[in-house]
Amino acid sequence: MDAKGQVSGHLMLITPERVFYAGLLGRPRERCPGALQVYVAIEGVLWLTAADGRQSYGELAVTQPNARHTIASDYRSAICLVLEPESVGDGVFEDLAKRLSGPEAPSFAARIRGAYARLQQRQESDEISTAEFDTMCFGEALRSRALDPRVVRSIVQIGKFAGEPVTAASCAAEAGLSPSRFLHLFKEETGISFRSFRAWKRARHLLHFANRDINLAHLAQDIGYPDSTHFSHSIRRFYGLKPRAIFSGSRDLAIYSSGRTEADNSAWTQEAS
C-alpha cells in the first residue's frame, strides 16, 4: 500500500466489474447505487435501513442494485464491495444475498475482512480478474452473464468517458439498429435501462479521482455532466453524499485500478499523483 493508505488503512480497488472499498462510511443518508452493495463492519456492527423502513443490524449487510437504503456503523470506517449487475447471470445476486444474509454471514464477513488484510499487503503487478476478486471475497467465482456483442460495444463506449457524450442514438447506429430496438435489446441483455446504466457508470467513474485535489466543476464536465447542479444531485442520489464530502473524506485513501484499458498493464495503477 502507498503512503496515502499506510496510516489510515483506507484503500479502494476498482476494476471494470467490481470495487473493493475500505474507508470512511460517511454520514448515514439515503443512497441508491446502481450495483449490488455488500457492507462489512471492520469493527462493531452495521445498521441497515431499507426504503420501506425495515431495519436490520449485524456485521454484514447486502442491498440489491437500485435499492434505496441508509447504512450506518458504530465505527467510522467500513468495507463495501460493489458488484455490477451486467456482469452476472440472472438470479446470481438473489442467491448470493440469501447466502450472505443467512447462517454463513459470519464466515463471509471474516473472509471479506481477510481479503482486506491481503489487499493491504498486495504488491504484485498481476491483474486481478473478476473471478479472482469473487473467489477472494466469496470463495468462488460468480456465474457471469453472456452479453450480445452489440451491447458489449456500447458498454465499452460508455466506459471511455472521452469525446462526445455517448447516446442511445450513437450506440444504435453503431449496432445497426433503430434507437427503439437498441434500447429494448440493451435492457433485455443487462436488465437495466440504457439511461440508468449510463448515469450509474458516470457516477462510478468519479471514484477513480476521489483522492485527487481537483476542480470538481471541471471534473463534472470531463465525465459528461451537463452542469454542476446535475453533477451534485446525481452523486448525492447514488452515494448519499455530496461530491465535495466524498473528496474531503478520501484524502487519505489509496486508490488502485485493475483492468482499465488505459492502464499500463500493472494491476495496481495508482490513481493518486
Side-chain angles (χ1 to χ4, degrees):
M1 182 182 291
D2 81 313
K4 275 183 177 287
Q6 280 180 348
V7 175
S8 68
H10 297 167
L11 65 84
M12 181 159 57
L13 167 65
I14 308 173
T15 83
E17 298 178 338
R18 303 287 186 267
V19 174
F20 191 110
Y21 170 78
L24 296 175
L25 192 57
R27 296 180 64 182
R29 290 176 174 166
E30 187 175 83
R31 59 187 69 186
C32 188
L36 184 94
Q37 307 282 120
V38 180
Y39 299 100
V40 176
I42 296 176
E43 294 183 20
V45 297
L46 302 167
W47 288 268
L48 177 69
T49 304
D52 61 6
R54 288 181 298 172
Q55 295 184 324
S56 60
Y57 69 94
E59 58 183 332
L60 187 151
V62 57
T63 64
Q64 294 292 332
N66 304 305
R68 293 184 292 117
H69 64 277
T70 301
I71 188 76
S73 171
D74 56 8
Y75 184 65
R76 293 186 68 210
S77 298
I79 296 169
C80 179
L81 310 185
V82 180
L83 286 68
E84 300 301 319
E86 77 280 2
S87 69
V88 301
D90 292 338
V92 169
F93 279 172
E94 291 77 8
D95 292 342
L96 179 63
K98 287 180 181 178
R99 294 183 63 195
L100 293 174
S101 304
E104 297 178 89
S107 60
F108 274 118
R111 174 181 282 275
I112 292 169
R113 283 193 288 263
Y116 169 43
R118 290 194 295 275
L119 289 176
Q120 286 180 291
Q121 301 300 320
R122 186 180 175 107
Q123 298 294 330
E124 307 97 289
S125 61
D126 296 336
E127 288 282 334
I128 181 167
S129 68
T130 297
E132 290 168 334
F133 185 107
D134 292 349
T135 301
M136 177 176 66
C137 296
F138 308 119
E140 62 182 356
L142 303 181
R143 177 168 50 85
S144 61
R145 182 191 297 261
L147 294 172
D148 186 296
R150 294 169 293 185
V151 172
V152 172
R153 287 196 295 271
S154 68
I155 290 174
V156 170
Q157 289 300 315
I158 291 171
K160 286 182 177 179
F161 297 98
E164 291 298 318
V166 177
T167 65
S170 65
C171 290
E174 184 175 346
L177 300 170
S178 68
S180 60
R181 174 57 189 145
F182 170 76
L183 290 173
H184 176 79
L185 175 67
F186 190 94
K187 187 167 185 178
E188 184 178 54
E189 287 286 303
T190 65
I192 314 159
S193 73
F194 179 86
R195 184 176 181 179
S196 295
F197 183 93
R198 185 181 59 184
W200 164 243
K201 294 301 183 183
R202 185 182 291 160
R204 187 188 194 272
H205 192 60
L206 169 86
L207 299 178
H208 290 282
F209 309 95
N211 64 355
R212 293 188 183 184
D213 184 8
I214 195 169
N215 184 296
L216 293 182
H218 291 168
L219 175 63
Q221 185 176 28
D222 289 345
I223 61 180
Y225 287 96
D227 53 59
S228 296
T229 300
H230 187 94
F231 171 57
S232 181
H233 175 77
S234 179
I235 297 303
R236 187 168 183 175
R237 175 167 65 92
F238 286 121
Y239 297 116
L241 296 165
K242 293 180 179 180
R244 194 165 301 281
I246 292 176
F247 278 75
S248 177
S250 301
R251 291 170 182 164
D252 62 357
L253 182 68
I255 303 179
Y256 304 95
S257 291
S258 177
R260 294 178 69 193
T261 56
E262 65 268 39
D264 61 359
N265 295 322
S266 67
W268 291 76
T269 302
Q270 189 177 348
E271 291 295 326
S273 57

